[in-house]
Amino acid sequence: MKILVCIKQIPDMASKFKPNAAGSWFSEADLAFRMNEYDEYAVEEAVKLREKDPASELAVLSVGPARVVEALKKALAMGCDRAVHVPDEEAYRKDPWQIASIIAGYAKKGNFDIIFTGMQSQDRGSAQIGPLLAGMLGFSCVTTAIGFSLEGRTATAKRELEGGAKGVVKAALPAVITCQLGLNTPRYPTLPNIMKAKKKEIAVLNAAELSSEAALAGTEKFYAPVKKGTGLVLEGGDAAALAGKLIDVLKEKTTVLRG
Amino acid sequence: MNLELTEEQKLIQSTARDFAEKELAPVAAALDRGEESREKFLANIAKLADLGFMGLNIKSAYGGAEAGSVALSLAITEIARACASTAVTLAVNNLVAEIIQTTGTEEQKKKHLRDICSGAYPAASLALTEPGAGSDSAAVSTLAERDGDGWVLNGSKIFITSAPYAGVFAVFAVTDKAAPKGSGISCFLVEAGTPGLVIGREEHKMGQRASATNEVSFENCRVPGDALLGALNKGFSSAAEGLAGGRINIGSLGLGIGLAAIDYATAYAADRKQFGRSISEFQAVQWMIAESYTELEAGRMLLMNAAARREAGKPHTKEAAMCKMYATEAANRACYNAVQLLGGYGYTDQFPVERYARDARVTSIYEGTNEVQRFIVAREILKSL
Ligand SMILES: Cc1cc2nc3c(=O)[nH]c(=O)nc-3n(C[C@H](O)[C@H](O)[C@H](O)COP(=O)(O)OP(=O)(O)OC[C@H]3O[C@@H](n4cnc5c(N)ncnc54)[C@H](O)[C@@H]3O)c2cc1C
């Protein structure tokens, strides 16, 4: 089994965002970066699968500036076997089509059976990389997985649907699975594994050699919304109904009520 | 000159921060008030051991992470931001482990380091201070007398961190009564449960209340010959290297508390309105914020310098004393400012800054009072003239 997990590094979402000089994206100065939350679920799921089958191999890939090496090292420390870095100091200028094309350029030579990605990135939030990648590679695709298992060459995934409903789908490998909050609890990398990950391979590949696709959509302008309170007020109905709604919100949007 | 952390150091820092935010911060106040159990406290310590935080600077052959002194300092700071009691436990465990690593025999390392690193020992204790030997630690009077091929210990220790749940104690005792002061002292590894090792009463403290601090006494406590750690009668000088590391640990711990306090108070000040505007618009408030962050940043630089020197194997006695003294005092001032910035609310337990202020207070006292640090710094400077 060959497994690939694709990750992105995103700014700490509690930061204060300012537009960059061109006004087309946010300025990275003064921001602290970390692994995209949904990608942590993807790494965890991939590592769990990797651990079940000692003969399998798990690679982690990221397209982005030099700083993403830290996120790659975290994924290695969590249990990925090797990493692929496609350096691009201005990756934010690329649209999802271009990023997916670069990943596909790498993945089509890799004979992967399964590819995990986050459901979306916390900063751009396009949620397109997984489905585009599946299309380009001719893989089956399951989005927003909150449960995952594999039997032979068939993946079974629980999916989150609109309005809180859940569905179960089966997909034949090779497949792309995009991961949603609730799928798992990502492990902390242990300190010995962080140190041992220094010895794992990080291959550096050239973006231009993987894909020369032009952008299909451009980002014109970035603006930060005015700060407002983060509260949510539940109204209407009797106390029991409101309590039910509150429980649903807590289950859907937070981890407090997950086992 | 390179002031950048390595990627591994950044990852250890962010792992410690994530763990502290998710696992420690939610229970720290309740642990402080005794509303959460000691089991909960020790469960978090065990999780930290699983992640490799108890042997941060210990060789991997003995179960450690081999991550270095800089990473240890960063980790303690991040843990202390959320829970100082957890941070001091971690600091002392690492201190005892490092002393065993530098002075222990192969058997002692195999036996005790693995158990400290893995969490098989819930904690490790350093038993130096006595009622009659605080700052004047060379005045210890606990006696270790030869008995066949072993030793018999008698005497009492006070203020021993983690004593009720420590798996092993590094105990300093006099082995040569005739020797000049400070030179007839040896260190022994006494295992929990050894007959004659008595864990006495637990202190009711001003802060860091989740961490136990106890009297410990030795009543004809017999230990085998191989319990001797390091050279006979050289216990003090051989532990000195480890104790310098202990000072960096406590400076790092102070820094974490100070940052937690001023971060909280600054956010509060930005929000709080009086006289029709945010109090952060008043210059008096801005100066408190500016001074605290500047001092804590200076403390951080002193810590990083001392830790980097230690990691590189360079002399660092002076630097360790300097950073311990400066960072813990900067932290105490930051906590003072933080309570001030919250006004009356800061004085209540509805807000965390009163806990930070109480937790920070002891950092200028233990691991050598800051007066002691000052004479170490002066001694190191004057001896080079
Ligand atoms: C919470 C807590 C945890 C502790 N954990 C441990 C532990 O795990 N293991 C351990 O061995 N010890 C531990 N200690 C003990 C701690 O290290 C001592 O309390 C400390 O070294 C000071 O000793 P003392 O309390 O006897 O004070 P004293 O030495 O009596 O000092 C009183 C005051 O006199 C000042 N003073 C003393 N001598 C001089 C001098 N020559 N010049 C100028 N000023 C001087 C001191 O700086 C201080 O201000 C702990 C203490 C506390 C409170």
Side-chain angles (χ1 to χ4, degrees), chain A residues 32 34 40 66-67 69-71 73-75 77 188-192 194-198 227, chain B residues 7-8 10-12 14-15 18-19 21-23 50-53 56 60 63-67:
Chain A
R34 55 177 305 146
E40 293 206 353
R67 58 171 163 72
V69 171
E70 191 187 337
K73 285 192 172 179
K74 178 171 184 179
Y188 298 103
T190 72
L191 273 45
I194 289 174
M195 299 311 287
K196 282 179 207 144
K198 266 168 104 165
K227 215 178 141 192
Chain B
E7 263 135 14
E8 286 71 28
K10 284 191 215 163
L11 271 177
I12 289 171
S14 62
T15 302
D18 287 348
F19 184 88
E21 277 172 9
K22 290 202 190 93
E23 323 276 337
D50 286 345
L51 292 176
F53 280 94
L56 236 140
S60 61
E66 236 180 300

Side-chain angles (χ1 to χ4, degrees), chain B residues 126 128-129 134-135 159 161 205 362 365-367 369 371 375:
Chain B
L126 183 92
L128 172 60
T129 307
S135 298
F159 298 137
T161 298
K205 306 195 298 291
V362 75
I365 296 171
Y366 60 23
E367 208 80 37
T369 67
E371 291 70 42
F375 71 65

Side-chain angles (χ1 to χ4, degrees), chain B residues 177-208:
Chain B
K177 280 193 274 188
K181 192 176 168 189
S183 48
I185 298 168
S186 305
C187 188
F188 294 89
L189 290 172
V190 181
E191 290 174 44
T194 306
L197 166 66
V198 181
I199 310 303
R201 72 172 212 103
E202 183 172 333
E203 304 293 345
H204 295 279
K205 306 195 298 291
M206 174 180 177
Q208 304 196 359

Side-chain angles (χ1 to χ4, degrees), chain A residues 94-240:
Chain A
K94 293 205 161 63
D95 74 341
W97 175 261
Q98 289 174 295
I99 299 285
S101 301
I102 292 171
I103 301 174
Y106 168 74
K108 68 177 182 239
K109 286 178 246 153
N111 268 329
F112 292 104
D113 300 288
I114 187 157
I115 300 178
F116 291 95
T117 71
M119 177 272 272
Q120 62 181 16
S121 60
Q122 286 171 280
D123 57 354
R124 189 181 284 272
S126 75
Q128 291 186 39
I129 300 293
L132 283 175
L133 187 57
M136 290 168 182
L137 295 170
F139 283 23
S140 39
C141 184
V142 181
T143 55
T144 59
I146 53 170
F148 174 83
S149 64
L150 186 68
E151 198 112 13
R153 303 276 306 166
T154 307
T156 304
K158 202 169 161 192
R159 292 191 61 230
E160 193 170 78
L161 311 176
E162 281 307 309
K166 311 274 186 286
V168 173
V169 294
K170 288 189 185 296
L173 297 194
V176 172
I177 313 287
T178 82
C179 305
Q180 163 70 309
L181 167 74
L183 176 61
N184 54 42
T185 307
R187 69 195 64 195
Y188 298 103
T190 72
L191 273 45
N193 285 346
I194 289 174
M195 299 311 287
K196 282 179 207 144
K198 266 168 104 165
K199 298 204 184 81
K200 292 185 179 176
E201 175 201 333
I202 302 183
V204 179
L205 300 185
N206 186 333
E209 285 170 18
L210 295 171
S211 161
S212 53
E213 287 291 322
L216 298 184
T219 306
E220 288 291 312
K221 183 168 156 47
F222 170 88
Y223 61 93
V226 259
K227 215 178 141 192
K228 58 173 194 266
T230 50
L232 169 69
V233 179
L234 298 174
E235 285 170 309
D238 62 1

Side-chain angles (χ1 to χ4, degrees), chain B residues 88-328:
Chain B
V88 71
T89 313
L90 193 144
V92 175
N93 288 4
N94 275 282
L95 167 65
V96 173
E98 287 195 36
I99 292 176
I100 296 174
Q101 174 159 271
T102 43
T103 62
T105 61
E106 195 55 33
E107 286 69 37
Q108 286 169 332
K109 291 187 211 175
K110 281 199 182 118
K111 183 163 188 203
H112 300 292
L113 287 182
R114 283 192 177 287
D115 287 351
I116 294 175
C117 293
S118 71
Y121 289 160
S125 282
L126 183 92
L128 172 60
T129 307
E130 297 183 1
S135 298
D136 187 9
S137 50
V140 291
S141 63
T142 293
L143 203 59
E145 291 172 300
R146 270 274 180 212
D147 177 39
D149 55 2
W151 299 86
V152 173
L153 274 61
N154 276 291
S156 51
K157 300 284 177 183
I158 192 164
F159 298 137
I160 306 309
T161 298
S162 303
Y165 36 83
V168 69
F169 295 73
V171 182
F172 290 83
V174 174
T175 37
D176 180 1
K177 280 193 274 188
K181 192 176 168 189
S183 48
I185 298 168
S186 305
C187 188
F188 294 89
L189 290 172
V190 181
E191 290 174 44
T194 306
L197 166 66
V198 181
I199 310 303
R201 72 172 212 103
E202 183 172 333
E203 304 293 345
H204 295 279
K205 306 195 298 291
M206 174 180 177
Q208 304 196 359
R209 295 163 67 106
S211 148
T213 312
N214 290 62
E215 292 179 7
V216 173
S217 56
F218 301 91
E219 296 167 9
N220 289 320
C221 176
R222 193 176 190 286
V223 295
D226 62 10
L228 177 69
L229 178 67
L232 184 64
N233 296 327
K234 298 262 182 328
F236 243 40
S237 47
S238 52
E241 148 99 16
L243 293 173
R247 296 189 184 114
I248 303 175
N249 295 351
I250 297 307
S252 313
L253 194 160
L255 174 65
I257 305 172
L259 285 170
I262 201 66
D263 282 352
Y264 190 91
T266 303
Y268 179 91
D271 236 35
R272 172 70 171 165
K273 291 197 176 54
Q274 287 290 282
F275 301 97
R277 58 178 123 160
S278 160
I279 62 167
S280 65
E281 290 175 38
F282 299 118
Q283 192 182 48
V285 165
Q286 292 182 354
W287 282 33
M288 278 193 247
I289 294 169
E291 282 168 10
S292 284
Y293 276 107
T294 305
E295 290 179 16
L296 290 170
E297 181 66 9
R300 192 180 72 80
M301 300 304 273
L302 286 173
L303 283 161
M304 289 293 96
N305 179 48
R309 289 184 68 89
R310 180 171 174 81
E311 191 162 320
K314 293 182 187 160
H316 57 281
T317 308
K318 180 181 71 183
E319 288 78 6
M322 281 177 165
C323 69
K324 193 275 185 184
M325 165 187 121
Y326 188 84
T328 58

